[in-house]
Amino acid sequence: MNPKKYTLGLVTAILALAAQSAGAHTLTATAGGLGSGLAHPFLGIDHLLAMLAVGLWAVQLGGSAVWKVPLAFVVTMLLGAGLAGVDLPFIETVIAASVLVLGLAITLPWRLAPLLASLMVALFALFHGHAHGSAMPITASPLIYFAGFAAATLVLHVLGAASGYLLFQRSQAVLVRVGGTGTGRRGSVAVERDLRRHLSRESTLHPVIFSA
């Protein structure tokens, strides 16, 4: 298989899905929630970057991590989606932190054992999955909706992995690290934004009362 044609096909598929994402939340039960599930990973830049980064980092690690790390992410993400009714703290902040940490992992790079790398991405995947599950339309079939966002996540993992593979084949590892740096910067901005929002909410709910 020609790697260039394969990657181009993946990019085309992603663009086609992304083009539908604007109307994803208006899809009815006729599609069983499949369209919403497919589109949801593309609705947030943090979801998108984290899933691409997982595939890229897996290729960077090499060996069995190429399949173990993405698989750990997808399986734990589905578990997190099933816990959508459970109140997890700092969901958006952890999702943003996943972008920051994965960006650092690619840039530095972190040479973790496949098991440790899988555990790390699994922790983040739990929160990504919770966010996906919480966004499920009321009329959607959970099974079909879950299958949709799992499939979209796998596409993003493969695209990240294919991009990394092509760059390493062309001895362009520096571009991989540049991408990791950009991803990390986006994550740091998102983490700061979410922490400020949380602190602002806390100060509103629990105002400080000064006594004379």
Side-chain angles (χ1 to χ4, degrees):
M1 179 180 292
N2 188 317
K4 290 183 178 179
K5 291 183 179 180
Y6 184 55
T7 305
L8 180 60
L10 287 172
V11 172
T12 303
I14 285 179
L15 290 176
L17 289 171
Q20 299 175 8
S21 65
H25 291 300
T26 64
L27 294 176
T28 64
T30 56
L34 180 62
S36 296
L38 285 170
H40 197 264
F42 300 94
L43 295 176
I45 187 64
D46 294 336
H47 288 309
L48 187 69
L49 288 176
M51 292 170 189
L52 288 171
V54 166
L56 183 53
W57 188 39
V59 167
Q60 196 175 38
L61 291 171
S64 61
V66 171
W67 63 269
K68 286 182 178 178
V69 172
L71 181 62
F73 189 97
V74 173
V75 171
T76 314
M77 180 185 65
L78 288 170
L79 176 62
L83 298 174
V86 179
D87 186 21
L88 292 182
F90 302 107
I91 294 174
E92 293 300 325
T93 304
V94 174
I95 290 174
S98 72
V99 180
L100 170 60
V101 173
L102 288 167
L104 289 174
I106 293 169
T107 303
L108 292 177
W110 293 350
R111 300 294 184 183
L112 300 184
L115 177 59
L116 289 177
S118 297
L119 289 174
M120 189 184 88
V121 300
L123 172 63
F124 294 136
L126 189 69
F127 288 82
H128 281 272
H130 190 283
H132 291 321
S134 299
M136 182 177 69
I138 297 176
T139 55
S141 162
L143 181 62
I144 295 177
Y145 175 77
F146 283 23
F149 72 74
T153 298
L154 282 172
V155 169
L156 288 169
H157 286 340
V158 172
L159 180 60
S163 301
Y165 175 78
L166 290 176
L167 289 173
F168 284 124
Q169 285 291 97
R170 294 176 175 273
S171 300
Q172 296 295 326
V174 65
L175 293 181
V176 174
R177 295 189 180 187
V178 168
T181 301
T183 300
R185 289 191 63 181
R186 160 63 198 182
S188 66
V189 170
V191 168
E192 181 182 5
R193 175 202 63 203
D194 289 325
L195 286 176
R196 287 179 181 275
R197 184 184 303 161
H198 177 74
L199 291 174
S200 175
R201 187 183 302 119
E202 285 295 313
S203 63
T204 302
L205 294 176
H206 306 287
V208 177
I209 301 176
F210 296 96
S211 58

